[in-house]
């Protein structure tokens, strides 16, 4: 076979350009993997954000229910016969029935607020009661006085990722008897 015959064989062999080379496949897989990793990180952030929002919504609802219950309890106070402080209050809704004497108290050891022995709310970061002699009183008291006409309740509760939400209400003691 001479040089002429070699050229003849080269012309007869067709180069197959219909498939992918190994390098093209590897580059494609690397690109798909990178896009998948970025999308996965995004999905993880979306799911974490959902659970963060869900947990904080539940915590806020619990706090709002607790504030509403405290407002309802304090709105019907007739007497404050016993102990009061910046974190607790003993009160009566019916002075003719001693069983109606209740105590609302914050226990900073277990971070719970109790009405007597019933847990009103847990995860409370802080709870304060301020006693006012009149609306916009610049110097509230830390204890109940006979001249108190309004109680300001402030509740801080810890949610997801340590987020602290503050809830405040003011309750006028309309039914309080001397």
């Amino acid at each position: 076979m001479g040089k002429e015959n070699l050229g003849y064989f080269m012309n007869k062999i067709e180069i197959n350009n219909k498939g992918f080379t190994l390098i093209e496949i590897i580059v494609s897989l690397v690109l798909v993997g990178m896009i998948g990793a970025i999308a996965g990180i995004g999905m993880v952030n979306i799911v974490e954000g959902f659970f963060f929002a869900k947990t904080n919504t539940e915590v806020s609802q619990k706090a709002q229910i607790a504030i509403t219950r405290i407002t309802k309890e304090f709105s019907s106070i007739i007497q404050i016969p016993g102990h009061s402080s910046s974190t607790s209050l003993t009160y009566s809704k019916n002075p003719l029935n001693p069983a109606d004497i209740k105590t609302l108290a914050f226990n900073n050891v277990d971070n719970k607020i109790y009405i007597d022995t019933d847990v009103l709310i847990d995860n409370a970061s802080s709870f304060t009661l301020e006693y006012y002699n009149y609306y916009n009183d610049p110097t509230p008291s830390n204890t109940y006085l006979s001249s108190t006409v309004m109680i300001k309740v402030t509740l801080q509760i810890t949610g997801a990722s340590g987020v602290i939400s503050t809830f405040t209400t003011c309750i006028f003691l309309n039914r309080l008897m001397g």
Side-chain angles (χ1 to χ4, degrees):
M1 276 176 101
K3 288 185 179 181
E4 305 85 28
N5 289 340
L6 184 61
Y8 173 77
F9 280 115
M10 290 299 279
N11 288 338
K12 293 290 184 185
I13 299 175
E14 294 181 21
I15 299 175
N16 185 1
N17 287 332
K18 295 180 183 177
F20 295 105
T21 65
L22 182 60
I23 292 175
E24 291 172 329
I25 292 173
I26 290 173
V27 168
S28 298
L29 289 174
V30 167
L31 289 175
V32 167
M34 288 172 45
I35 291 170
I38 292 169
I41 290 169
M43 290 299 292
V44 166
N45 287 338
I46 289 170
V47 169
E48 285 176 348
F50 170 77
F51 284 114
F52 176 81
K54 180 182 176 203
T55 302
N56 282 332
T57 300
E58 289 172 357
V59 166
S60 293
Q61 286 176 343
K62 284 173 41 177
Q64 194 63 42
I65 290 169
I67 286 288
T68 302
R69 173 70 190 274
I70 292 168
T71 301
K72 185 173 175 72
E73 288 285 320
F74 285 9
S75 294
S76 60
I77 289 177
I78 294 174
Q79 283 187 341
I80 299 179
H83 174 73
S84 70
S85 72
S86 62
T87 58
S88 69
L89 178 67
T90 300
Y91 58 94
S92 174
K93 293 168 44 174
N94 183 355
L96 301 176
N97 184 355
D100 274 351
I101 294 177
K102 298 181 185 265
T103 300
L104 177 104
F106 172 59
N107 184 334
N108 60 1
V109 174
D110 62 3
N111 293 334
K112 294 179 182 177
I113 298 173
Y114 295 91
I115 294 180
D116 292 332
T117 58
D118 298 326
V119 175
L120 180 61
I121 191 167
D122 55 0
N123 292 335
S125 303
S126 73
F127 177 75
T128 57
L129 299 171
E130 294 177 325
Y131 304 91
Y132 291 84
N133 292 329
Y134 55 89
Y135 185 74
N136 284 338
D137 187 353
T139 56
S141 174
N142 288 332
T143 60
Y144 172 78
L145 304 170
S146 61
S147 59
T148 299
V149 295
M150 183 180 76
I151 299 174
K152 180 179 179 182
V153 179
T154 304
L155 167 64
Q156 289 186 329
I157 190 160
T158 305
S161 300
V163 173
I164 296 177
S165 300
T166 303
F167 298 84
T168 302
T169 190
C170 293
I171 303 136
F172 286 91
L173 304 173
N174 297 332
R175 298 179 61 195
L176 198 61
M177 299 163 68

